[in-house]
Amino acid sequence: MTNRILTKLLCASALVAVPLAANAVDLEITHWWTSGGEAAAVRALAEQFEATSDNTWVDGAIAGSGGVARPIIISRILGGDPMAATQLNHGQQAVELIEAGLMLDLTDIAEAGDWANIVNPPSLLEACTVEGRVYCVPLNIHSPQWMWTSLSAFDAAGVAPAQNWDDLKAAAPALREAGKQPLVSGAQGWQYANQFNTFVSGLGGEDLYYAVYRDGDEAALMGTEMKAIWDEIVITRDLMAGTAIQDWNLATAEVINGNAAAQVMGDWAQGEFAVAGKTAGSDYDCIIGMGRAQLIATAGDAFYFPVNKDEEVTAAQKELAQVLISPEAQVTFNLKKGSLPVRGDIDMSTAGTCMQKGLAVLADGGTIDSSDMLLSPDAVGQIQDMLVDFYASDMSAEDAQAEFAKIVMSDK
């Protein structure tokens, strides 16, 4: 080990002792963070890694959403051309790869770093654990339960800014009259699903949410509460009429520029507002749970490390794993990304207004598991496809409710 490496490691407070690569290696890291805010957050991670290691972060960004990137990532791993590390979401996406012995076991550094006591909530580490062994590093907490609003759009329409879903519905005619889109979304299944999940948890509350996604309870899926939510989803289709946007960040840009009044999107949208130089409270607002149930899903991103026969690469992979969960990386990355840190022992007092809202909900225990943790990847994909069909048609609330219930119940 060189003195330079040793000195750097001693300066990184969260790193624990593991065998290090004798020679510097290049690590290809794949992810799908390509928007302005996301790219800034990735750079923060790369800089943190290279400041504490002689190894090099080789960026392998894959354009498009996770739905585009994940099949490419998995295909490479299965095809014998693995990257050194890759982003995936918490949930069931990597279980088969782990069971096939294709993912690096990180239990030694997880135990040495006391991850069991620093990761909050514990479900994030549990999502990385298979048969008692840890196979990924939880990086952040992302939740879809947010509505982002443009204060200038409401001002142009001469109405008070919406504080909840009912306010937005009431303001829609005035917004249309002022030439503002009441509600905007990219026309992709995962975006529609995020919005739908927000309505289920925000309007339905925790009990209904778990009855639907965890239990697949037919009475809940086909009951009056879910029928009422589907009625509201029909209204979202009306308020979104007239848009032709695909990518989520372009939809966010419509809110940033004041062309649209609202977007239901995950907390990663904060990064786009930050890059645009916008300030919460004066330029935009952020509302959890459509202004009703204060619940956030504690899902997010994790990094997995495909098995590599080169011992120097393996050592470098473990160095990177330690950096990702270090206090320094947790603060710098999440402040830029708009996500919440997975560590419960760091100072986030410099976080902005919206992140403080999320931290307060997290501290109050207002957390739910994400739908990705409660449903199989196949069911998640079927729901997304169904919602694409719904928004491209005049499908009734009754028909949509029945189709959704069929998908969920068949997954249980």
Side-chain angles (χ1 to χ4, degrees), residues 130-396:
V130 177
E131 296 184 356
R133 310 297 293 179
V134 177
Y135 290 93
C136 69
V137 184
L139 181 63
N140 59 15
I141 300 170
H142 264 318
S143 57
Q145 288 87 4
W146 296 79
M147 182 167 71
W148 306 89
T149 61
S150 165
L151 301 186
S152 67
F154 287 98
D155 183 62
V159 293
Q163 298 301 307
N164 53 51
W165 169 239
D166 290 331
D167 289 349
L168 181 62
K169 288 191 295 182
L175 289 164
R176 290 282 193 193
E177 182 68 21
K180 305 299 180 181
Q181 184 72 37
L183 182 64
V184 67
S185 172
Q188 295 172 338
W190 72 268
Q191 297 183 59
Y192 294 146
N194 276 356
Q195 179 170 268
F196 178 77
N197 292 341
T198 300
F199 274 80
V200 176
S201 62
L203 275 58
E206 182 175 357
D207 289 344
L208 179 65
Y209 180 86
Y210 278 123
V212 168
Y213 288 111
R214 181 189 62 201
D215 304 333
D217 181 79
E218 183 175 6
L221 284 160
M222 293 303 299
T224 57
E225 286 185 279
M226 279 302 294
K227 172 58 168 60
I229 287 172
W230 277 108
D231 287 339
E232 298 301 321
I233 297 299
V234 169
I235 295 173
T236 69
R237 186 171 59 190
D238 296 336
L239 299 193
M240 287 157 51
T243 61
I245 296 171
Q246 289 293 313
D247 296 330
W248 72 269
N249 54 307
L250 297 183
T252 305
E254 290 295 286
V255 179
I256 291 172
N257 296 330
N259 297 324
Q263 177 192 22
V264 180
M265 182 48 58
D267 52 10
W268 49 88
Q270 290 182 82
E272 302 305 299
F273 285 96
V275 168
K278 301 299 183 180
T279 302
S282 57
D283 299 310
Y284 68 97
D285 199 3
C286 46
I287 299 164
I288 297 175
M290 309 305 294
R292 296 193 190 176
Q294 297 295 286
L295 298 169
I296 59 174
T298 51
D301 301 298
F303 269 84
Y304 290 79
F305 301 81
V307 169
N308 194 295
K309 295 181 180 179
D310 187 326
E311 292 183 0
E312 292 183 345
V313 171
T314 300
Q317 288 174 312
K318 291 190 175 184
E319 287 186 56
L320 175 57
Q322 293 174 88
V323 168
L324 295 174
I325 204 167
S326 70
E328 297 85 355
Q330 283 286 299
V331 172
T332 57
F333 172 79
N334 287 297
L335 285 177
K336 291 181 180 295
K337 187 70 164 61
S339 48
L340 303 179
V342 299
R343 293 186 67 123
D345 62 346
I346 57 177
D347 181 7
M348 294 296 291
S349 58
T350 59
T353 301
C354 296
M355 189 176 290
Q356 293 295 351
K357 287 184 181 182
L359 288 168
V361 172
L362 183 63
D364 289 342
T367 61
I368 52 177
D369 293 335
S370 74
S371 59
D372 283 346
M373 292 180 175
L374 301 171
L375 298 172
S376 70
D378 181 61
V380 170
Q382 289 184 55
I383 291 168
Q384 291 179 5
D385 290 343
M386 186 273 289
L387 287 168
V388 169
D389 292 341
F390 171 85
Y391 279 102
S393 69
D394 60 356
M395 184 186 299
S396 68

Side-chain angles (χ1 to χ4, degrees), residues 19-40:
L20 301 182
N23 299 303
V25 296
D26 293 340
L27 295 184
E28 181 194 8
I29 291 87
T30 53
H31 59 85
W32 53 86
W33 291 321
T34 56
S35 73
E38 292 173 328

